[in-house]
Amino acid sequence: MPHFAPFHHSLACEKRKAATEALAAYRAPPSLLADVASTDARRGEALMALGDVPGARAAFARALARGMDTPRVRLGLAQTALRAADPAAGLPHAEAAWRAHPRSAYAAATLALCLAGTGNRARALALTAEARRLRPDEGDYAELARRLGAP
C-alpha cells in the first residue's frame, strides 16, 4: 500500500497544523479515496486553516452531499458561513451539529455565534454559558461570553 503513504502523511501534517502540506495531499488523494466524503471534510478543514473560506465551504458541501452528515461537516459549514459574515446561512448547520453532539463546547459556541449574528442574543448567551460549563478550562469560551455581554 505505498500509494497511501502520502495520504497518511497528510494526517500527521494536519495534526502539526501544516495545512499547506495536508491540502496538497487532500487535493490529490489516492484514487480509492478521491470521491470519499471524509477526504472532502479534511480538504475543507485545511482550506479553512489557509483562509480559503469559499473553497472550504465547497469542500464541506461536497462532503455533506456525499452523505457525511456529521457534526464535523456541519460545524465546518457553520464556520465558513460565520467567516463569510452570513450567520443565518450557518445557523441550520450549527443547530444540526449541536443536536448531534450536545456535549461539544465547540458546537455550543458555534451555534451561539450564529444565534448572536441573527439577533437571538438570549439563546446565544445560554449556549455560551453551556460551552463554558462543558469546557471551563478553555479561555476562548469565557472571552466569547464577555464579547456577547454576559454578566
Side-chain angles (χ1 to χ4, degrees), residues 7 25-27 29 33-44 59 68:
F7 193 76
Y26 298 139
R27 282 189 168 147
L33 299 174
D35 295 329
V36 175
S38 62
T39 301
D40 291 319
R42 288 186 174 109
R43 186 179 298 124
M68 191 174 177

Side-chain angles (χ1 to χ4, degrees), residues 58-134:
F60 286 124
R62 273 192 308 277
L64 184 61
R66 288 182 174 153
M68 191 174 177
D69 190 356
T70 64
R72 175 184 187 179
V73 169
R74 293 298 191 140
L75 287 169
L77 287 165
Q79 285 291 325
T80 59
L82 285 168
R83 290 194 188 179
D86 189 2
L91 189 56
H93 299 295
E95 287 176 334
W98 175 244
R99 277 193 309 274
H101 202 329
R103 294 176 58 190
S104 167
Y106 184 66
T110 300
L111 179 52
L113 286 168
C114 288
L115 288 164
T118 57
N120 192 338
R121 185 175 175 275
R123 189 160 172 233
L125 287 171
L127 280 157
T128 303
E130 182 64 11
R132 291 177 71 190
R133 186 190 69 73
L134 289 165

Side-chain angles (χ1 to χ4, degrees), residues 13-42:
C13 292
E14 183 178 310
K15 289 179 183 174
R16 290 191 324 261
K17 301 295 185 200
T20 302
E21 284 184 56
L23 183 58
Y26 298 139
R27 282 189 168 147
S31 59
L32 184 64
L33 299 174
D35 295 329
V36 175
S38 62
T39 301
D40 291 319
R42 288 186 174 109

